[in-house]
Amino acid sequence: MSSSLRDGLFPIPKRETHPETAGAGANEAATGVFEAIVASAASAGFALDGGQRMVALRLAGLGAQIVEREALSAGETHPGEDEADHVTAAPDQSATPRGLYLWGPAGRGKSWLLDAFYDAVPIERKLRVHFHSFFNELHSRIFANRGSDSVFANAVEELIGDAHLLLFDEFHVHDPGHATLLTGLLRFALEHGITVVATSNYPPHGLLPSPVYHHIFEPGIELIERELDVVELAGGVDYRRSRADTVERRGFATGSWIHVPSAVSAAAGRAVGDSAVGPDLASGATRPSPVEATSLDLGGRAFEVTAVRGRELWATFAELFIVKTSSLEYLQWARDFDTWHVLDVPLLASVGRDPQQRFVNAVDVLVDYDIEAHFHADASFDEFVAAAAGRADAFRMVSRLHLLQR
């Protein structure tokens, strides 16, 4: 059964390889995958541009190979072929379709293409994962398997199950510990005949760019460049920006960027007694009063937040990102709350590197889980974006924030 770690982080299947040639029925399968991707774009109200179309054709060819491999694994035959030529056992690794590493600037449609490809490939043993949810679950599985003879292999196998196709969105490496795990994951996939399709904002040699740690991921980079087809989706248009006014308003895109200068916010906080302060949201929602302050318990820690209103989380930037939170908390809160209000967002230059990265990671999670988010900021959207330029992963964060109403 196909699945995604986006919902519940439950393991499911995976395994396959990349496109070059295929047997009987391959053209029909490729056409079906390609047409499904094109139809998905049409239903979303746009047409593929030249670069996206090229990638869709590459993915369609890969999809055809995967479909054929699954048919061989199941012992199916094509018209005119002898059943004796097929075996029911899983094909050897040489039959594994060669994977794809798709990279390029933010907002060019990489994640969208990955999702459309996932939906279009008519196999059950496939799994789509996102960087943050995958690694948090992997760490959990490694911890659960401590003491076993094959801790890492057991953790990965539990996580991805019997999938023949693994789709990995937002493949990036900034942490040397993640670099080691990603290299191990790639090796495991290749050794077990799993086809990997990954998207990234970085070319392989740009992963783990720190000159101090880059050498740690060089084995992983070598695996990517040797075993996957590296394809760039460039293009001069960030579609999150250019289509911001026409985007379907659901999930994250129903959120907003609200300019609330700190002086105004402070004055609101001095409302009479502890009563609710005035509205600072276009929707008319009111900023919580001090008496609504509460805490969230997770993993044995208590996290102070401004308020919890049903399935709405209200918290200041300091409460969420100055304290030592991680994507583990953001992932859990994305499941617990349908709407986030992040208050008192400062210019990123005014906070340290770690809070900046936490904010970027939280935006990743909010977009991936499609959570409605409202950011109440000291600066206007344009001022915030201009000041964020040049910071780690800021280009991806800025692209995603353009989905917001402002």
Side-chain angles (χ1 to χ4, degrees):
M1 178 178 179
S2 61
S3 180
S4 165
L5 284 184
R6 178 185 313 214
D7 300 316
L9 303 183
F10 294 119
I12 312 267
K14 88 168 199 319
R15 274 168 200 136
E16 292 298 283
T17 328
H18 187 58
E20 296 303 330
T21 59
N27 288 339
E28 182 179 350
T31 299
V33 172
F34 179 73
E35 289 180 347
I37 294 174
V38 171
S40 183
S43 67
F46 67 93
L48 301 179
D49 65 23
Q52 293 168 341
R53 189 176 181 86
M54 177 274 292
V55 171
L57 287 168
R58 294 292 296 268
L59 290 171
L62 173 56
Q65 287 193 319
I66 291 171
V67 169
E68 182 175 49
R69 186 193 187 206
E70 291 295 288
L72 291 172
S73 298
E76 297 177 9
T77 60
H78 295 297
E81 294 181 330
D82 189 341
E83 291 187 9
D85 293 334
H86 298 274
V87 293
T88 57
D92 60 38
Q93 292 178 30
S94 64
T96 301
R98 182 177 172 82
L100 187 72
Y101 182 91
L102 178 63
W103 72 278
R108 270 57 178 183
K110 298 181 300 298
S111 294
W112 183 91
L113 283 163
L114 195 74
D115 285 344
F117 177 62
Y118 178 88
D119 292 336
V121 178
I123 67 170
E124 289 295 306
R125 290 183 288 184
K126 58 185 177 181
L127 177 66
R128 182 251 192 225
V129 302
H130 185 273
F131 182 88
H132 297 294
S133 57
F134 180 81
F135 270 101
N136 278 306
E137 184 66 9
L138 180 58
H139 284 302
S140 175
R141 303 272 173 161
I142 289 173
F143 181 78
N145 278 277
R146 67 193 187 284
S148 68
D149 293 333
S150 304
V151 176
F152 181 80
N154 289 345
V156 172
E157 193 162 9
E158 288 178 7
L159 189 55
I160 58 183
D162 66 348
H164 284 182
L165 174 63
L166 175 63
L167 306 182
F168 201 117
D169 195 23
E170 297 298 351
F171 194 104
H172 57 260
V173 194
H174 297 297
D175 177 86
H178 284 163
T180 301
L181 293 176
L182 273 173
T183 300
L185 172 66
L186 289 168
R187 286 199 178 113
F188 182 94
L190 293 168
E191 290 170 359
H192 290 76
I194 297 166
T195 298
V196 177
V197 179
T199 70
S200 179
N201 295 130
Y202 302 90
H205 63 267
L207 296 167
L208 194 59
S210 167
V212 177
Y213 299 116
H214 183 74
H215 68 281
I216 295 175
F217 197 57
E218 286 179 347
I221 293 170
E222 194 272 335
L223 282 173
I224 291 171
E225 295 181 333
R226 188 183 73 225
E227 302 293 344
L228 307 182
D229 282 352
V230 178
V231 176
E232 181 182 6
L233 178 57
V237 179
D238 180 340
Y239 288 109
R240 293 195 186 98
R241 301 190 190 201
S242 66
R243 294 173 180 158
D245 293 336
T246 59
V247 68
E248 180 185 355
R249 291 297 169 189
R250 62 177 180 77
F252 188 79
T254 62
S256 59
W257 186 274
I258 304 149
H259 183 195
V260 185
S262 55
V264 175
S265 181
R270 294 192 294 271
V272 179
D274 284 333
S275 61
V277 303
D280 56 12
L281 254 185
S283 64
T286 56
R287 184 184 177 105
S289 67
V291 296
E292 292 185 74
T294 186
S295 63
L296 302 173
D297 295 324
L298 182 60
R301 293 179 61 192
F303 297 89
E304 303 301 320
V305 296
T306 301
V308 170
R309 295 174 173 174
R311 290 186 62 83
E312 284 189 8
L313 171 64
W314 291 72
T316 65
F317 182 96
E319 289 169 336
L320 289 176
F321 309 119
I322 299 299
V323 298
K324 290 185 178 180
T325 51
S326 70
S327 55
L328 175 63
E329 285 78 45
Y330 312 147
L331 288 162
Q332 185 58 55
W333 296 335
R335 299 186 200 105
D336 293 341
F337 301 103
D338 301 322
T339 304
W340 289 30
H341 292 273
V342 183
L343 307 170
D344 306 333
V345 178
L347 294 177
L348 292 186
S350 68
V351 299
R353 177 183 173 184
D354 288 344
Q356 292 176 29
Q357 191 60 53
R358 291 180 191 123
F359 182 73
V360 170
N361 292 346
V363 171
D364 281 345
V365 170
L366 290 168
V367 171
D368 194 54
Y369 276 68
D370 214 14
I371 300 298
E372 178 182 343
H374 301 277
F375 299 89
H376 307 238
D378 293 346
S380 70
F381 183 82
D382 290 341
E383 290 170 332
F384 180 86
V385 166
R391 305 186 184 281
D393 285 341
F395 54 88
R396 185 175 70 249
M397 172 196 70
V398 167
S399 175
R400 292 177 164 189
L401 290 178
H402 270 88
L403 294 169
L404 298 170
Q405 303 175 80
R406 54 191 187 280

